[in-house]
Amino acid sequence: MEGLQSKKEPVLGFEVDLFTFEEALQCVHNALKENRSMHIVTINPEMITNGNKNDEFGRVLNEADLTIPDGVGIKLALKVKGINQEVVPGVDFSKRLIGICALEGYTIGLLGAKEEIVQKAAANLRNEFENLNITYIRNGYFDEQQEDIIRGELTEIAPRVLFVALGSPKQELFISKLKQKMPRTIFIGVGGSFDVWSGCVKRAPEIYQKMGLEWLYRTVKEPSRFKRIFPALPLFLIQVIIETIQQKIKQA
Ligand code: UDP
């Protein structure tokens, strides 16, 4: 990462970049200015667990150019390893990136979520960022045939930054198949961010965000998320503790 000291730490086999929010943004800003491509992954425990079960997804995660620690689960995992890491929420990070694109004239594309959601998100972003140039908008519900058409459209239009909101691992696998064909695009998988930008899903109040309890708020609001967190998150942390103890024993 030009001009930035790259610090990485493996968590159960996947390297996480230990950048602060501002450093990670600087890293992407540099890639924009230098006309480089990039795949940004906003990683969480669920993705690491899936990456260890699914070889293809694991490979895609390992090939990412920037892996930012999204969420308190990764923060806790790094804490177990003795590292104090700031959480870089993908939804906030992406919004700041859009601000840079609007200010400096880089085009963006939005792919994912339901049709009314992605349209509303685009309209809200255009209202918020005066000169924002969104050159591609497409909902995230398509079959294989439509997927080929979408790839063709994207390759032709080539937005400078493409935000892909298909949920994980779908969005990372989609990006991985496309990135060779779009050598000047920065890709980021943004999960449910369009739902937030559309105004249809509310973020947790700031106090929850500051305390690292946004997941708790979201789980209370959407109880179906419970099974995504339990028992996966505690199991993930137990595995990280075991990995850390094994590393310490090896070093001793
Ligand atoms: N989604 C989509 N196509 C699909 C499946 C999901 O566009 O085939 C969208 C969905 O509408 C939502 C986002 O992907 O906007 C996933 O949101 P979720 O909150 O599950 O993502 P997370 O951030 O938790 O990974």
Side-chain angles (χ1 to χ4, degrees):
M1 306 290 146
E2 281 82 327
L4 283 167
Q5 181 89 38
S6 177
K7 302 158 274 174
K8 287 175 189 287
E9 180 67 27
V11 177
L12 301 182
F14 297 97
E15 303 261 355
V16 180
D17 283 287
L18 305 180
F19 286 133
T20 63
F21 190 111
E22 294 304 325
E23 284 171 340
L25 199 62
Q26 182 67 56
C27 175
V28 182
H29 198 177
N30 289 349
L32 274 172
K33 288 190 279 196
E34 290 158 14
N35 224 5
R36 279 186 281 124
S37 162
M38 185 179 234
H39 179 189
I40 307 162
V41 166
T42 60
I43 204 146
N44 61 36
E46 203 182 352
M47 289 163 80
I48 289 184
T49 305
N50 286 344
N52 277 316
K53 284 189 198 145
N54 172 337
D55 286 349
E56 195 196 349
F57 184 48
R59 179 188 55 76
V60 169
L61 290 182
N62 273 322
E63 283 173 7
D65 303 288
L66 178 66
T67 302
I68 58 180
D70 186 354
V72 74
I74 298 291
K75 184 187 166 83
L76 287 175
L78 290 167
K79 188 93 192 155
V80 168
K81 289 166 166 277
I83 297 166
N84 273 324
Q85 171 63 39
E86 149 185 353
V87 173
V88 182
V91 60
D92 298 328
F93 186 80
S94 301
K95 196 67 166 301
R96 285 283 302 278
L97 185 53
I98 290 174
I100 293 177
C101 291
L103 209 63
E104 301 185 9
Y106 298 110
T107 59
I108 72 160
L110 304 177
L111 171 67
K114 295 191 182 118
E115 179 63 16
E116 65 274 23
I117 297 273
V118 66
Q119 292 296 345
K120 191 86 212 309
N124 288 346
L125 289 170
R126 281 179 172 136
N127 275 339
E128 188 172 344
F129 301 101
E130 215 184 320
N131 294 320
L132 184 63
N133 189 2
I134 309 179
T135 55
Y136 191 80
I137 302 174
R138 174 67 163 85
N139 71 64
Y141 293 87
F142 43 80
D143 58 28
E144 264 177 47
Q145 210 183 344
Q146 289 164 322
E147 187 172 334
D148 283 341
I149 297 173
I150 293 170
R151 284 217 193 91
E153 289 169 348
L154 281 168
T155 315
E156 193 160 324
I157 294 166
R160 188 67 186 92
V161 183
L162 182 63
F163 296 86
V164 186
L166 302 174
S168 202
K170 216 171 181 179
Q171 60 198 22
E172 284 76 25
L173 296 173
F174 182 90
I175 291 172
S176 142
K177 283 196 224 152
L178 198 62
K179 68 179 184 188
Q180 303 299 340
K181 294 197 188 104
M182 295 174 66
R184 255 173 284 289
T185 293
I186 290 177
F187 299 92
I188 178 166
V190 293
S193 298
F194 295 178
D195 301 77
V196 174
W197 299 340
S198 71
C200 291
V201 168
K202 294 268 169 285
R203 293 286 300 278
E206 215 165 305
I207 180 86
Y208 285 81
Q209 293 180 36
K210 283 207 173 115
M211 287 167 68
L213 291 176
E214 190 162 15
W215 61 274
L216 180 64
Y217 181 89
R218 286 178 81 186
T219 310
V220 171
K221 290 267 169 191
E222 263 179 87
S224 61
R225 296 188 87 87
F226 188 82
K227 63 175 185 304
R228 283 175 60 171
I229 296 179
F230 294 100
L233 185 61
L235 277 177
F236 164 79
L237 288 173
I238 289 167
Q239 280 177 290
V240 174
I241 292 169
I242 293 170
E243 183 188 61
T244 311
I245 293 171
Q246 283 171 340
Q247 276 170 352
K248 292 239 157 82
I249 292 172
K250 256 194 215 157
Q251 285 160 8

